Amino acid sequence: MSFSPEPPSLMGANSIQEQRERWDRKRSRTARELVQTEQHYCHQLELVSTFFVEILRAKGTLKQDIRDAIFSSIKDIQSVNQSLLVHLENGYLGQGLDKFCSHLDHYSKYVDNIYNAKKVLEIQLKKNKAFRRFKKLQEARPEFKDQKLEDLLQTPVQRILQYNHFLQDLTANTSPDDPEFEQLSKAVAAVSEVSQRIQDNTRKHENHLQLCRVQKLMKGRKTKVMAAGRWYIREGWLKTVPPKGTEAKPKMFFLFSDMLLQAKHCSLLLPSSGEKFVGQHAFPLQDATVEKVFGHTRSQGGLLSLTFPKAKLLLMSSNQQDLNDWYQCLSSAIRKLQSKQTVVLQRAEPRRRPLRSAVENLQSSSSSSSPIRKRRLLS
């Protein structure tokens, strides 16, 4: 016979109370960590603002457009975060974050410029001897504690990603009945948007670097790799199987979101060629199809059949995993292009229909006009 020391209703109330206490402890711990890291972050912003932006402006070592390119909106960010820190230290968590999120456009501007800022800074350090000396002297100050300007300029981007985790933890450990719950939820959405922007910019930058790398591999200017909206996917060696029974030849292939580029090594007799390639064919993927001739089993390698509007390719690989990866990448790229084309056509159709219907209505109304009306017009 079991014996319960408390009624079920009291046991349920105790468990709910214990859960709320756990939430409160986690929330307090996260809020405390947020305040501590915010203090350190504001100190880093102050170092850049005081010892670089303000002094460079007074000395005139860098022109204003170059200063703006390197430091962007970091002064505005410092002002916004100083206000946030005051709210956090006084316990006004929701109010401070709500006000902070209304000024996130300064962060959006900063993260959009971060790669350009890095490039301009590298150019100035290479060409501007006075700025190079100034930077070295400032970084030697004891306040910097061996921190470099390049690392400090990355802190706003890193801080946004930290805010994303802090705010999600705070929201998860705040009761929906709490007055600050709605403010925290809005802050999570706003910061997540900027965080996604950072990830998108990173992907675009990495893709740009890949396109530049492949373009440099191409000898001459005939093969154009750089194009708006083009994404690099993968590259590798595959053997092209000729239609007649001659020997399959290895070729280098570069796969992009809209084309497959076939290339061959430059002649080794030319010392200036190095590891460069000569582009042979650029196959558009818009109306292409791909299928496995064989190679879908676990045997060694296989063949891929690629059909283009004006050409056909048979590609062979002895590596089964590599062949499967090529097939998946090609299929995905073709499918995405075709889906985009379908979406464009679907959007264009409704725009034409009202025009046709208007013409048809006009013709029907003119044909159905009464003879009396025609006589009146004639008279």
Side-chain angles (χ1 to χ4, degrees), residues 24-86:
D24 289 339
R25 286 195 297 270
K26 290 180 180 179
R27 176 188 164 92
S28 299
R29 185 167 59 248
T30 304
R32 186 167 56 251
E33 188 178 353
L34 175 60
V35 173
Q36 292 171 351
T37 54
E38 186 68 18
Q39 290 169 343
H40 178 64
Y41 172 55
C42 286
H43 175 66
Q44 291 177 313
L45 292 176
E46 187 178 1
L47 289 177
V48 178
S49 178
T50 304
F51 294 104
F52 277 96
V53 181
E54 294 295 339
I55 298 179
L56 283 171
R57 181 185 298 168
K59 290 171 66 68
T61 307
L62 295 178
K63 295 180 180 179
Q64 183 177 348
D65 58 336
I66 297 176
R67 289 201 313 269
D68 293 341
I70 295 175
F71 301 103
S72 186
S73 56
I74 200 163
K75 286 284 293 181
D76 297 319
I77 289 175
Q78 183 201 8
S79 176
V80 170
N81 280 88
Q82 285 292 345
S83 176
L84 173 63
L85 180 59
V86 172

Side-chain angles (χ1 to χ4, degrees), residues 167-233:
L167 294 178
Q168 287 178 2
D169 288 345
L170 286 169
T171 307
N173 293 297
T174 300
S175 172
D177 300 330
D178 194 301
E180 289 186 336
F181 181 80
E182 186 177 353
Q183 293 173 322
L184 289 172
S185 300
K186 289 180 179 178
V188 168
V191 171
S192 296
E193 187 176 340
V194 183
S195 179
Q196 184 61 48
R197 193 168 186 152
I198 293 171
Q199 295 176 27
D200 293 341
N201 288 346
T202 302
R203 287 179 60 246
K204 289 177 183 178
H205 179 68
E206 291 173 350
N207 179 67
H208 177 73
L209 294 179
Q210 289 282 25
L211 293 179
C212 290
R213 179 185 63 83
V214 177
Q215 185 68 74
K216 289 180 180 178
L217 287 175
M218 296 294 136
K219 187 173 178 61
R221 299 181 179 180
K222 292 183 179 180
T223 306
K224 300 294 183 182
V225 175
M226 307 297 293
R230 177 171 291 165
W231 288 84
Y232 168 87
I233 298 176

Side-chain angles (χ1 to χ4, degrees), residues 260-273:
L260 178 67
L261 177 62
Q262 177 183 322
K264 67 175 183 177
H265 252 143
C266 290
S267 174
L268 297 177
L269 299 176
L270 300 174
S272 60
S273 298

